[in-house]
Amino acid sequence: MLLLIAPAAVVLVCFQIIPILVGMNASFRDWSLVNPLKTWVGLSQYVAVFTDPVFLKIVLPNTFILMVSSVSVSLVLGLGLASLLNKSFFGRPLVRTVILLPLTIAPVITATMIRWSFNDQFGVITTFLAYLGLPEVAWLSDRWPSFTLVILTDIWIWAPWFTIILLAALQGLPPEQFEAAKIDAATPWRTFIHVTLPMLRPVITVCVLIRSIDAFRTFDQVYILTGGGPARSTEVFSVYVYVQAFVNLDFGRGAAAAGAGAIIMLLVGVGLYRLVNRTMVRSR
């Protein structure tokens, strides 16, 4: 048994455990990529991160806005699409394939496509909106239009992920409860609220937790669409870590930012688990 898991364990240790330990060590040092001294500074790097106005006033709010809006809207869309696809209708296999297409495209390609489509000068969507006579919007030059594009791109990528998981969960629900609801003359909406949602609670909880953690560290879409601009106004946690470590060449500060994010996400994960559990219990 140990020989069977040894290859996976070696890969995990080399590419996960060791880098994490190196990063933890670097977060307690003045470790610049142009300065090999690596002086031990204790918690000063963490203090610098948590007192950085950019981190507190821009990065964290942007990160949580992206996480909450993307996860909540993707969950609602995914649940709605899964409920639709759980019913029999003509062309259902084709609709399933089309809905799941965003999952087959790399996020970098998706973000690049969105960036070109909303280009202020020659973007297809920008040109179409101008043709309709709508006012011009600086999609990639102002903070909120740019950040809205980031959120919509993230939703477009991840709503099918919720769809496929919730659809599998719906198809695995026992039919007895739904038959009892029909006998009691329950409306489709009451059946959905009082029968379907409570039985989907464990799956929804896991999906929300996994997706929230993943949304907290979103990098591809933000970096490709805005690069954190204009003027760092759309910068999120992962881009902040990247800028500190590989633009400012301050590996210690970047590692401390990553550690701070891990601590924040741990606390948020525990809170989300309790909140989702409590909400779903009340819906019974």
PDB file of all heavy atoms in Angstrom, residues 147-162:
ATOM      1  N   PHE A 147     -13.728  46.046 -12.935  1.00  0.00           N
ATOM      2  CA  PHE A 147     -13.952  45.019 -11.917  1.00  0.00           C
ATOM      3  C   PHE A 147     -15.227  44.244 -12.202  1.00  0.00           C
ATOM      4  O   PHE A 147     -15.313  43.044 -11.896  1.00  0.00           O
ATOM      5  CB  PHE A 147     -14.011  45.664 -10.535  1.00  0.00           C
ATOM      6  CG  PHE A 147     -13.728  44.709  -9.421  1.00  0.00           C
ATOM      7  CD1 PHE A 147     -12.497  44.084  -9.333  1.00  0.00           C
ATOM      8  CD2 PHE A 147     -14.686  44.420  -8.467  1.00  0.00           C
ATOM      9  CE1 PHE A 147     -12.226  43.188  -8.313  1.00  0.00           C
ATOM     10  CE2 PHE A 147     -14.422  43.532  -7.441  1.00  0.00           C
ATOM     11  CZ  PHE A 147     -13.188  42.910  -7.363  1.00  0.00           C
ATOM     12  N   THR A 148     -16.228  44.898 -12.785  1.00  0.00           N
ATOM     13  CA  THR A 148     -17.443  44.191 -13.184  1.00  0.00           C
ATOM     14  C   THR A 148     -17.133  43.134 -14.233  1.00  0.00           C
ATOM     15  O   THR A 148     -17.672  42.013 -14.185  1.00  0.00           O
ATOM     16  CB  THR A 148     -18.483  45.181 -13.729  1.00  0.00           C
ATOM     17  OG1 THR A 148     -18.799  46.139 -12.724  1.00  0.00           O
ATOM     18  CG2 THR A 148     -19.749  44.465 -14.157  1.00  0.00           C
ATOM     19  N   LEU A 149     -16.257  43.461 -15.183  1.00  0.00           N
ATOM     20  CA  LEU A 149     -15.845  42.483 -16.191  1.00  0.00           C
ATOM     21  C   LEU A 149     -15.144  41.292 -15.545  1.00  0.00           C
ATOM     22  O   LEU A 149     -15.347  40.143 -15.948  1.00  0.00           O
ATOM     23  CB  LEU A 149     -14.914  43.138 -17.217  1.00  0.00           C
ATOM     24  CG  LEU A 149     -15.560  43.943 -18.335  1.00  0.00           C
ATOM     25  CD1 LEU A 149     -14.497  44.398 -19.325  1.00  0.00           C
ATOM     26  CD2 LEU A 149     -16.614  43.117 -19.050  1.00  0.00           C
ATOM     27  N   VAL A 150     -14.308  41.569 -14.557  1.00  0.00           N
ATOM     28  CA  VAL A 150     -13.623  40.486 -13.846  1.00  0.00           C
ATOM     29  C   VAL A 150     -14.646  39.557 -13.192  1.00  0.00           C
ATOM     30  O   VAL A 150     -14.550  38.320 -13.288  1.00  0.00           O
ATOM     31  CB  VAL A 150     -12.653  41.052 -12.795  1.00  0.00           C
ATOM     32  CG1 VAL A 150     -12.109  39.942 -11.909  1.00  0.00           C
ATOM     33  CG2 VAL A 150     -11.507  41.795 -13.465  1.00  0.00           C
ATOM     34  N   ILE A 151     -15.631  40.143 -12.517  1.00  0.00           N
ATOM     35  CA  ILE A 151     -16.646  39.334 -11.830  1.00  0.00           C
ATOM     36  C   ILE A 151     -17.470  38.530 -12.832  1.00  0.00           C
ATOM     37  O   ILE A 151     -17.711  37.328 -12.643  1.00  0.00           O
ATOM     38  CB  ILE A 151     -17.560  40.239 -10.985  1.00  0.00           C
ATOM     39  CG1 ILE A 151     -16.754  40.887  -9.851  1.00  0.00           C
ATOM     40  CG2 ILE A 151     -18.732  39.447 -10.417  1.00  0.00           C
ATOM     41  CD1 ILE A 151     -17.533  41.924  -9.063  1.00  0.00           C
ATOM     42  N   LEU A 152     -17.905  39.172 -13.919  1.00  0.00           N
ATOM     43  CA  LEU A 152     -18.709  38.474 -14.924  1.00  0.00           C
ATOM     44  C   LEU A 152     -17.921  37.348 -15.585  1.00  0.00           C
ATOM     45  O   LEU A 152     -18.478  36.280 -15.877  1.00  0.00           O
ATOM     46  CB  LEU A 152     -19.205  39.471 -15.979  1.00  0.00           C
ATOM     47  CG  LEU A 152     -20.225  40.509 -15.503  1.00  0.00           C
ATOM     48  CD1 LEU A 152     -20.582  41.467 -16.630  1.00  0.00           C
ATOM     49  CD2 LEU A 152     -21.474  39.830 -14.968  1.00  0.00           C
ATOM     50  N   THR A 153     -16.640  37.581 -15.826  1.00  0.00           N
ATOM     51  CA  THR A 153     -15.802  36.527 -16.408  1.00  0.00           C
ATOM     52  C   THR A 153     -15.694  35.342 -15.463  1.00  0.00           C
ATOM     53  O   THR A 153     -15.794  34.179 -15.883  1.00  0.00           O
ATOM     54  CB  THR A 153     -14.399  37.073 -16.722  1.00  0.00           C
ATOM     55  OG1 THR A 153     -14.510  38.190 -17.608  1.00  0.00           O
ATOM     56  CG2 THR A 153     -13.531  36.009 -17.366  1.00  0.00           C
ATOM     57  N   ASP A 154     -15.513  35.625 -14.185  1.00  0.00           N
ATOM     58  CA  ASP A 154     -15.413  34.549 -13.205  1.00  0.00           C
ATOM     59  C   ASP A 154     -16.723  33.771 -13.111  1.00  0.00           C
ATOM     60  O   ASP A 154     -16.716  32.537 -13.003  1.00  0.00           O
ATOM     61  CB  ASP A 154     -15.034  35.134 -11.842  1.00  0.00           C
ATOM     62  CG  ASP A 154     -14.354  34.122 -10.935  1.00  0.00           C
ATOM     63  OD1 ASP A 154     -13.268  33.647 -11.308  1.00  0.00           O
ATOM     64  OD2 ASP A 154     -14.902  33.810  -9.865  1.00  0.00           O
ATOM     65  N   ILE A 155     -17.838  34.487 -13.160  1.00  0.00           N
ATOM     66  CA  ILE A 155     -19.146  33.817 -13.125  1.00  0.00           C
ATOM     67  C   ILE A 155     -19.327  32.939 -14.363  1.00  0.00           C
ATOM     68  O   ILE A 155     -19.797  31.799 -14.273  1.00  0.00           O
ATOM     69  CB  ILE A 155     -20.272  34.858 -13.015  1.00  0.00           C
ATOM     70  CG1 ILE A 155     -20.218  35.561 -11.652  1.00  0.00           C
ATOM     71  CG2 ILE A 155     -21.641  34.208 -13.226  1.00  0.00           C
ATOM     72  CD1 ILE A 155     -21.156  36.746 -11.544  1.00  0.00           C
ATOM     73  N   TRP A 156     -18.953  33.460 -15.519  1.00  0.00           N
ATOM     74  CA  TRP A 156     -19.117  32.728 -16.773  1.00  0.00           C
ATOM     75  C   TRP A 156     -18.300  31.438 -16.763  1.00  0.00           C
ATOM     76  O   TRP A 156     -18.723  30.407 -17.297  1.00  0.00           O
ATOM     77  CB  TRP A 156     -18.686  33.619 -17.931  1.00  0.00           C
ATOM     78  CG  TRP A 156     -19.035  33.063 -19.272  1.00  0.00           C
ATOM     79  CD1 TRP A 156     -20.251  33.084 -19.883  1.00  0.00           C
ATOM     80  CD2 TRP A 156     -18.147  32.401 -20.184  1.00  0.00           C
ATOM     81  NE1 TRP A 156     -20.181  32.487 -21.119  1.00  0.00           N
ATOM     82  CE2 TRP A 156     -18.895  32.064 -21.328  1.00  0.00           C
ATOM     83  CE3 TRP A 156     -16.793  32.067 -20.149  1.00  0.00           C
ATOM     84  CZ2 TRP A 156     -18.337  31.410 -22.413  1.00  0.00           C
ATOM     85  CZ3 TRP A 156     -16.238  31.416 -21.229  1.00  0.00           C
ATOM     86  CH2 TRP A 156     -17.003  31.096 -22.358  1.00  0.00           C
ATOM     87  N   ILE A 157     -17.126  31.482 -16.122  1.00  0.00           N
ATOM     88  CA  ILE A 157     -16.268  30.303 -16.070  1.00  0.00           C
ATOM     89  C   ILE A 157     -16.801  29.267 -15.088  1.00  0.00           C
ATOM     90  O   ILE A 157     -16.807  28.056 -15.376  1.00  0.00           O
ATOM     91  CB  ILE A 157     -14.827  30.707 -15.688  1.00  0.00           C
ATOM     92  CG1 ILE A 157     -14.192  31.550 -16.806  1.00  0.00           C
ATOM     93  CG2 ILE A 157     -13.968  29.480 -15.398  1.00  0.00           C
ATOM     94  CD1 ILE A 157     -12.853  32.137 -16.425  1.00  0.00           C
ATOM     95  N   TRP A 158     -17.272  29.712 -13.920  1.00  0.00           N
ATOM     96  CA  TRP A 158     -17.539  28.786 -12.822  1.00  0.00           C
ATOM     97  C   TRP A 158     -19.001  28.411 -12.626  1.00  0.00           C
ATOM     98  O   TRP A 158     -19.287  27.454 -11.900  1.00  0.00           O
ATOM     99  CB  TRP A 158     -16.970  29.357 -11.521  1.00  0.00           C
ATOM    100  CG  TRP A 158     -15.491  29.308 -11.517  1.00  0.00           C
ATOM    101  CD1 TRP A 158     -14.627  30.357 -11.690  1.00  0.00           C
ATOM    102  CD2 TRP A 158     -14.677  28.152 -11.352  1.00  0.00           C
ATOM    103  NE1 TRP A 158     -13.336  29.922 -11.640  1.00  0.00           N
ATOM    104  CE2 TRP A 158     -13.333  28.572 -11.433  1.00  0.00           C
ATOM    105  CE3 TRP A 158     -14.949  26.805 -11.137  1.00  0.00           C
ATOM    106  CZ2 TRP A 158     -12.267  27.680 -11.312  1.00  0.00           C
ATOM    107  CZ3 TRP A 158     -13.895  25.918 -11.016  1.00  0.00           C
ATOM    108  CH2 TRP A 158     -12.568  26.366 -11.108  1.00  0.00           C
ATOM    109  N   ALA A 159     -19.945  29.117 -13.242  1.00  0.00           N
ATOM    110  CA  ALA A 159     -21.346  28.699 -13.134  1.00  0.00           C
ATOM    111  C   ALA A 159     -21.561  27.277 -13.669  1.00  0.00           C
ATOM    112  O   ALA A 159     -22.306  26.497 -13.054  1.00  0.00           O
ATOM    113  CB  ALA A 159     -22.256  29.699 -13.847  1.00  0.00           C
ATOM    114  N   PRO A 160     -20.936  26.886 -14.778  1.00  0.00           N
ATOM    115  CA  PRO A 160     -21.093  25.479 -15.221  1.00  0.00           C
ATOM    116  C   PRO A 160     -20.547  24.460 -14.223  1.00  0.00           C
ATOM    117  O   PRO A 160     -21.049  23.332 -14.169  1.00  0.00           O
ATOM    118  CB  PRO A 160     -20.295  25.448 -16.537  1.00  0.00           C
ATOM    119  CG  PRO A 160     -20.290  26.848 -17.019  1.00  0.00           C
ATOM    120  CD  PRO A 160     -20.229  27.689 -15.789  1.00  0.00           C
ATOM    121  N   TRP A 161     -19.534  24.842 -13.450  1.00  0.00           N
ATOM    122  CA  TRP A 161     -19.002  23.929 -12.428  1.00  0.00           C
ATOM    123  C   TRP A 161     -20.062  23.628 -11.375  1.00  0.00           C
ATOM    124  O   TRP A 161     -20.273  22.472 -10.999  1.00  0.00           O
ATOM    125  CB  TRP A 161     -17.768  24.566 -11.792  1.00  0.00           C
ATOM    126  CG  TRP A 161     -17.103  23.724 -10.757  1.00  0.00           C
ATOM    127  CD1 TRP A 161     -16.244  22.690 -10.963  1.00  0.00           C
ATOM    128  CD2 TRP A 161     -17.238  23.852  -9.325  1.00  0.00           C
ATOM    129  NE1 TRP A 161     -15.824  22.165  -9.751  1.00  0.00           N
ATOM    130  CE2 TRP A 161     -16.421  22.852  -8.737  1.00  0.00           C
ATOM    131  CE3 TRP A 161     -17.950  24.707  -8.498  1.00  0.00           C
ATOM    132  CZ2 TRP A 161     -16.316  22.697  -7.354  1.00  0.00           C
ATOM    133  CZ3 TRP A 161     -17.848  24.550  -7.116  1.00  0.00           C
ATOM    134  CH2 TRP A 161     -17.033  23.567  -6.563  1.00  0.00           C
ATOM    135  N   PHE A 162     -20.753  24.672 -10.916  1.00  0.00           N
ATOM    136  CA  PHE A 162     -21.875  24.453  -9.995  1.00  0.00           C
ATOM    137  C   PHE A 162     -22.961  23.621 -10.669  1.00  0.00           C
ATOM    138  O   PHE A 162     -23.576  22.751 -10.034  1.00  0.00           O
ATOM    139  CB  PHE A 162     -22.455  25.792  -9.544  1.00  0.00           C
ATOM    140  CG  PHE A 162     -21.692  26.462  -8.444  1.00  0.00           C
ATOM    141  CD1 PHE A 162     -20.781  27.457  -8.727  1.00  0.00           C
ATOM    142  CD2 PHE A 162     -21.880  26.097  -7.128  1.00  0.00           C
ATOM    143  CE1 PHE A 162     -20.069  28.087  -7.713  1.00  0.00           C
ATOM    144  CE2 PHE A 162     -21.179  26.713  -6.101  1.00  0.00           C
ATOM    145  CZ  PHE A 162     -20.270  27.712  -6.398  1.00  0.00           C
TER     146      PHE A 162
END
